[in-house]
Amino acid sequence: MSMNGEYLRLIPAELDRALKDPEWALDLAAEIQDAQEEHQPAPNEAWHFTTHQTWDLLGFLLRRSAFPVDIVHGEEPLAGDDWGYGPPRYLTPDRVRLAADTLHQTTYDQLIRGVDPSELAEAEIYPRIWDSPTSLEWARDLFTPLTEFFQGAASTGHAVLIWLD
């Protein structure tokens, strides 16, 4: 079974409700994921987004670049049950805005510049496929849509829930 990075946009009132009722938030996430399977909106309009299995690589690259927001694991805990591989965490609208602004100024080439795949193997970055320089390209196709997802959330003042499933 694979581990996937998952994101859910919430309006501030929904975040308030999720903080009080994490089960409601889990149900909302499932509803939105199901709805988006039928209609796949552009990332900047999506309410749900996934980085699939690239989450750990992206996290490594972003930490290495001193990215100011933890957009891979979230920053604030949401009480409640495990949503797959631990409970979800969230980013407030202000942190989403900072993440979106910083992502907009960051290129994937900047993130991978100077990274040797052996560093990923040594750090035991999931899913341990780091046997060639081309393996660094694996998350490139998801970096721009992730940026667009955060820009869409920031432009409307949304918070973001983040979890591994």
Side-chain angles (χ1 to χ4, degrees), residues 126-159:
Y126 177 82
R128 299 192 186 153
I129 58 166
W130 318 114
D131 54 357
S132 76
T134 58
S135 59
L136 287 169
E137 295 297 317
W138 190 48
R140 182 181 295 276
D141 290 343
L142 285 167
F143 184 73
T144 297
L146 178 64
T147 299
E148 293 168 357
F149 175 81
F150 269 89
Q151 288 173 328
S155 72
T156 53
H158 290 166

Side-chain angles (χ1 to χ4, degrees), residues 68-133:
V69 180
D70 187 348
I71 63 169
V72 171
H73 297 99
E75 295 182 339
E76 302 294 329
L78 184 73
D81 294 333
D82 184 322
W83 282 26
Y85 294 94
R89 297 176 68 86
Y90 66 93
L91 301 174
T92 63
D94 288 342
R95 299 299 283 169
V96 170
R97 160 94 36 227
L98 176 59
D101 291 346
T102 308
L103 282 167
H104 182 70
Q105 299 169 25
T106 305
T107 67
Y108 193 74
D109 287 332
Q110 289 170 320
L111 290 178
I112 64 171
R113 187 173 296 130
V115 176
D116 188 297
S118 66
E119 293 176 64
L120 303 170
E122 286 175 31
E124 299 182 350
I125 300 301
Y126 177 82
R128 299 192 186 153
I129 58 166
W130 318 114
D131 54 357
S132 76

Side-chain angles (χ1 to χ4, degrees), residues 5-8 36 43 46-51 142 144-147 149:
E6 306 289 348
Y7 299 82
L8 182 72
Q36 279 192 199
W47 285 82
H48 170 261
F49 185 78
T50 183
T51 55
L142 285 167
T144 297
L146 178 64
T147 299
F149 175 81

